[in-house]
Amino acid sequence: MAEYRETRTLGEEMPRAILAGVCTGQEHAFEVSMSELEDLALSCGIEPVRRMTQRLPWEDRSTMVGPGKAEEIREMADAEEADLVIFNNMLSPSQMLHLSGILQTEVLDRTGLILRIFADHARTREARMQVEYARLQYMLPRLQGLRRNLSRQGGGSGSRSNKGAGEMQIELDRRHIERRMSTLRKELGKISASRDVQRKKRSRSSLPLVSMVGYTNAGKSTLMNCLIDTAGGDTDAVRDEEHRHVYVEDMVFATLDTTVRKITPKTGPAFLLSDTVGLINDLPTALVEAFHSTLEEALQADLILEVTDCSDPEHEMHMEVTEKTLADLGAGKIPRIEVMNKCDQSEDPARAGSVIRENRIYISAKDGCGIEALTELVQEKLVGERICMQLLVPYADLADAEIIRRQGQVVKEEYTQEGLAMETWLDMDLLRRMRRHVSHPETRDAE
């Protein structure tokens, strides 16, 4: 059990919460998980005021913590004037119902808390629909316990304040939820089809796709903005300087929406960079399923940047979670670079933006340290030995232009009187096959 400092200031109405958890395994992993629960609560605008933990060989089937400890939590909640109790463990429908009756306050588990954060942070229509579907899926088997929670929030006179609502209302709620879930499935199916069309368009552009994945709050959005600033970025929708950047906030799950930007380095070919939703240990299955179409960006990638906060003492565990998620998605064999971010906050002075191994680099996206080396490493992985050439393809040989578009990377092209003028990145094999189209005789002779 741990005390928390008072963080409420005059005029604030942050809900106050007791954090509770049952440890049935390793103590260290449990403490890390409880610390994450505190960060999750703060991200949701909830103030953790006390912590109550219990070590058991297995979870209590009825109340998770056992009836005696549940009474202790109720007394603590009363003493602290807590608005809710958040359990680190996932509660079954019956456990939520029993705890709600004993604690006489709103009860949330880790899954419910994460769902609430996602609902608060979702910005696009797709993200909001995905979160709504996941929340309804979570609520459906827990309607009875959640109805009791609602009576607590409504300021009723205890557990009997909602007596009389009966099974009829629960059945009405259930049918309403099932109808809404059916509607959402259809709408998300349409969005998924539209996303597939966008992916096909991107694949036809001949630009390689680089996807960033990693633990939440590892700095992926900051890294994307840094690459936009140092290399150059673009988006088809909005081109002004203000809107090319993505949203950044120092909190877990600050961004949920997948964003794609075109990165154009000062030297070397351009590539598309996508950012996916952050990961966390024990991410609810419902959320993984709901955001599957978003996470599928990693499946389409030519290269994955696995972004990790190397200053976090638990960064190795974060990498294990990321590796497992990629393997579950079927993206385990896609080439990747381990991007160890926030090296400026690391205690190891050797981590200063230099490539440590073939596929690992230490950087600081916040101050730009190592970004140039990262860009070079990305291009090395993507294109190998490529060279940018000016070609002039006669109209009689336009079939060659199609081969160049498919196998090379076209920077720009223009139809002229003599033929199709192309500026394109070619590997050495393609260059040898197309050398007759090189527009500068001296370059062609060198080949």
Side-chain angles (χ1 to χ4, degrees):
M1 183 173 66
E3 300 286 342
Y4 287 101
R5 65 185 184 279
E6 182 68 41
T7 59
R8 184 184 304 192
T9 59
L10 187 63
E12 284 187 340
E13 293 295 336
M14 286 180 66
R16 296 164 62 87
I18 303 295
L19 305 186
V22 173
C23 177
T24 59
Q26 294 183 350
E27 192 74 30
H28 176 71
F30 174 71
E31 287 299 323
V32 170
S33 184
M34 288 297 294
S35 296
E36 280 189 349
L37 187 68
E38 180 183 353
D39 290 337
L40 289 168
L42 291 170
S43 182
C44 196
I46 297 172
E47 178 186 6
V49 290
R50 294 283 291 278
R51 181 189 292 187
M52 177 73 81
T53 61
Q54 173 85 320
R55 181 162 187 85
L56 295 172
W58 52 79
E59 299 169 353
D60 184 81
R61 187 174 300 177
S62 177
T63 61
M64 180 61 68
V65 292
K69 184 64 70 171
E71 285 293 337
E72 285 185 45
I73 295 174
R74 184 186 65 79
E75 293 172 1
M76 182 183 290
D78 288 342
E80 296 291 341
E81 298 182 353
D83 302 288
L84 70 163
V85 177
I86 305 174
F87 281 81
N88 191 43
N89 314 73
M90 184 171 180
L91 300 174
S92 69
S94 62
Q95 287 171 333
M96 180 168 285
L97 180 62
H98 290 145
L99 284 167
S100 182
I102 294 172
L103 301 178
Q104 297 292 296
T105 189
E106 183 185 359
V107 177
L108 271 182
D109 61 10
R110 186 184 181 93
T111 299
L113 180 62
I114 292 176
L115 286 168
R116 185 175 289 190
I117 294 169
F118 271 52
D120 290 343
H121 293 181
R123 288 176 175 80
T124 66
R125 177 172 174 265
E126 181 184 11
R128 289 195 296 268
M129 291 173 65
Q130 287 171 325
V131 173
E132 182 184 357
Y133 186 84
R135 291 189 76 180
L136 292 175
Q137 192 176 21
Y138 170 79
M139 287 172 60
L140 195 57
R142 296 173 172 80
L143 282 176
Q144 195 169 359
L146 289 171
R147 277 203 150 273
R148 183 166 291 181
N149 274 343
L150 289 173
S151 73
R152 306 284 175 242
Q153 297 177 64
S157 56
S159 60
R160 301 179 186 275
S161 62
N162 225 18
K163 189 177 181 181
E167 293 299 315
M168 181 66 73
Q169 186 59 50
I170 290 177
E171 287 304 316
L172 289 172
D173 291 344
R174 193 185 313 277
R175 285 197 291 272
H176 173 73
I177 288 174
E178 289 172 345
R179 285 195 298 270
R180 180 59 180 160
M181 288 177 69
S182 177
T183 300
L184 288 170
R185 275 195 299 269
K186 293 176 183 177
E187 292 298 318
L188 287 169
K190 294 177 183 177
I191 293 174
S192 180
S194 175
R195 187 183 290 276
D196 288 340
V197 171
Q198 292 174 354
R199 286 173 182 152
K200 289 177 182 177
K201 286 182 179 178
R202 291 205 301 264
S203 65
R204 286 199 297 268
S205 73
S206 78
L207 292 177
L209 176 64
V210 179
S211 286
M212 293 190 295
V213 297
Y215 217 73
T216 182
N217 211 26
K220 297 189 299 299
S221 297
T222 302
L223 176 56
M224 175 174 276
N225 287 341
C226 187
L227 286 168
I228 289 171
D229 289 336
T230 58
D234 195 6
T235 176
D236 293 335
V238 184
R239 298 183 182 277
D240 59 279
E241 191 69 32
E242 178 183 356
H243 291 90
R244 288 193 303 175
H245 290 88
V246 296
Y247 178 76
V248 174
E249 184 67 35
D250 186 15
M251 67 169 63
V252 295
F253 299 122
T255 52
L256 305 179
D257 307 304
T258 296
T259 53
V260 180
R261 297 290 185 270
K262 179 181 176 182
I263 306 298
T264 308
K266 296 172 183 176
T267 58
F271 58 90
L272 297 175
L273 181 66
S274 73
D275 182 14
T276 56
V277 63
L279 306 175
I280 197 170
N281 200 19
D282 297 325
L283 185 66
T285 304
L287 278 176
V288 174
E289 293 174 354
F291 279 83
H292 194 272
S293 63
T294 304
L295 292 168
E296 277 181 348
E297 287 289 340
L299 282 176
Q300 309 298 321
D302 300 284
L303 178 68
I304 290 175
L305 301 185
E306 183 182 336
V307 184
T308 303
D309 176 2
C310 68
S311 68
D312 193 306
E314 304 302 324
H315 70 271
E316 290 185 2
M317 182 271 286
H318 297 175
M319 296 179 73
E320 290 175 5
V321 171
T322 303
E323 291 280 347
K324 182 179 184 304
T325 304
L326 288 173
D328 291 344
L329 287 170
K333 294 184 179 180
I334 296 175
R336 75 186 64 178
I337 297 173
E338 296 175 356
V339 182
M340 310 302 285
N341 191 24
K342 306 185 184 181
C343 67
D344 56 316
Q345 301 175 26
S346 173
E347 296 180 358
D348 186 351
R351 299 175 177 180
S354 56
V355 178
I356 305 301
R357 293 204 306 264
E358 182 182 355
N359 67 333
R360 175 174 290 193
I361 183 171
Y362 288 86
I363 69 161
S364 171
K366 185 177 180 181
D367 59 21
C369 176
I371 297 300
E372 185 175 340
L374 173 61
T375 304
E376 292 174 358
L377 187 58
V378 167
Q379 292 183 316
E380 177 186 322
K381 294 283 186 180
L382 286 176
V383 302
E385 294 185 19
R386 285 197 179 189
I387 185 169
C388 188
M389 299 299 296
Q390 303 288 337
L391 306 179
L392 182 62
V393 182
Y395 289 116
D397 296 331
L398 285 183
D400 285 349
E402 284 302 314
I403 295 174
I404 293 168
R405 290 188 185 109
R406 287 197 308 269
Q407 300 181 20
Q409 184 179 333
V410 177
V411 178
K412 63 181 179 180
E413 55 184 46
E414 181 183 358
Y415 289 92
T416 68
Q417 290 183 348
E418 295 80 15
L420 179 59
M422 307 179 75
E423 181 182 345
T424 180
W425 287 87
L426 309 173
D427 61 32
M428 300 311 294
D429 177 64
L430 185 57
L431 177 58
R432 279 190 291 270
R433 286 186 284 146
M434 299 297 166
R435 64 173 178 260
R436 65 185 179 278
H437 300 314
V438 175
S439 59
H440 301 295
E442 64 275 12
T443 308
R444 182 165 57 244
D445 294 340
E447 287 296 317

